[in-house]
Amino acid sequence: MQSLTNKVKAYVFDKNLEERSIAVACSGGLDSMVLLQALSKIYKPEKIFVLHCDHAWHEGSTQISKSLGEYCKERDFNYISVKFDFTDLKKNEENARDLRFQFFIQKTAELGVRDLFMGHHLDDNVETILFRLFRGTGVAGLKGIPLENLLESSGLTLHRPLLRCEKKELQEFAKDFNVTIWEDPSNASDSYSRNRIRLNIFPEAEKINPKFKNNINRLALLVEEQENYINIQVESTVKQLGGLPWSLESFRGLGKLMQRRLLERFFTTNMDFQNDFMEAIQKGGFHRINFSKDRFFTIKQKKIYLEVAADFSASA
């Protein structure tokens, strides 16, 4: 069995990243500290920029940020941290994620770094797939977390070399190499949806089949293969339709599978919203459906639009 370090090394060399400076998203927890340790065996310290976000959600967060900074200084890693202020924002996972990515994009741009490594592992992937299933998702949502993806607006590429490793493999690595870890106490709370899946559903699923994580991950890989093929057909259809807005009549002429694929790509993977969209498409007339913050699926004048609130508030 290939060691965790070799898996990370194989990923880095396969992507030809070994000569670059890199950033590592680091919370101080098991996932990111194991990743940082593995990457430190490949890169010189001065090539590694450790980016840390203090959400200030628990009393020890400031101390974790400080301790992680000292840890990085001892090893000559470049350490950059930020403390978030949620005064004007609701404290939830979605807003926290948005703030993290704003920070990552801003700092990597300032540093001239194009590659950000993240500690997601196989358990995270399974958790994400189940979370999407419970909330309602189309087939595309079953692909889970991508191994690599480019944020086109910023040019930043996200890398997840641990995505095929189970959490227990990370735990064994941490024990064998005496990796320093600062666990966020909120990870033990089931007040968050993802935590409830990990803490309550995983143990029950393992009683049904101890290999359930690998089975779900295998399903995600199969879905990805099928999606890659279907996406070729989608690209061809997009060229025929042209950019948004689309002709309602032309869209209605497509098969149901292709309609859903286009809705997944340009609007949302959420199945409930897709069903609402499909119903509106069949009915025709004027429809405007708010599916994500200030983003709207709109049918008007026999055309399908993707709008943001400003599009129609400015013309009101």
Side-chain angles (χ1 to χ4, degrees), residues 44 123 129 173 188 193 196 281 313:
K44 294 179 180 179
D123 291 43
I129 292 168
F173 179 96
S193 298
R196 286 197 291 275
I281 287 164
S313 63

Side-chain angles (χ1 to χ4, degrees), residues 233-243 246-247 250 253-254 258:
Q233 316 306 317
V234 171
E235 289 297 335
S236 176
T237 303
V238 169
K239 289 180 181 178
Q240 293 174 20
L241 287 174
W246 297 321
S247 160
S250 297
L254 302 173
M258 183 57 65

Side-chain angles (χ1 to χ4, degrees), residues 50-64:
V50 178
L51 305 183
H52 174 74
C53 301
D54 178 4
H55 297 85
W57 282 5
H58 61 88
E59 293 181 358
S61 67
T62 300
Q63 184 57 50
I64 289 176

Side-chain angles (χ1 to χ4, degrees), residues 86-137:
F86 283 87
T87 303
D88 299 321
L89 281 175
K90 183 178 180 181
K91 284 188 177 182
N92 59 37
E93 294 173 272
E94 185 176 358
N95 285 333
R97 181 184 182 280
D98 289 344
L99 287 174
R100 284 198 301 275
F101 273 91
Q102 288 173 21
F103 171 67
F104 295 151
I105 290 170
Q106 176 188 343
K107 287 303 173 184
T108 52
E110 291 175 2
L111 297 166
V113 173
R114 295 178 294 161
D115 302 280
L116 175 66
F117 283 74
M118 309 187 79
H120 297 98
H121 48 75
L122 189 145
D123 291 43
D124 292 324
N125 197 34
V126 172
E127 176 187 302
T128 296
I129 292 168
L130 291 177
F131 181 72
R132 290 175 180 172
L133 273 172
F134 297 151
R135 292 188 67 181
T137 184

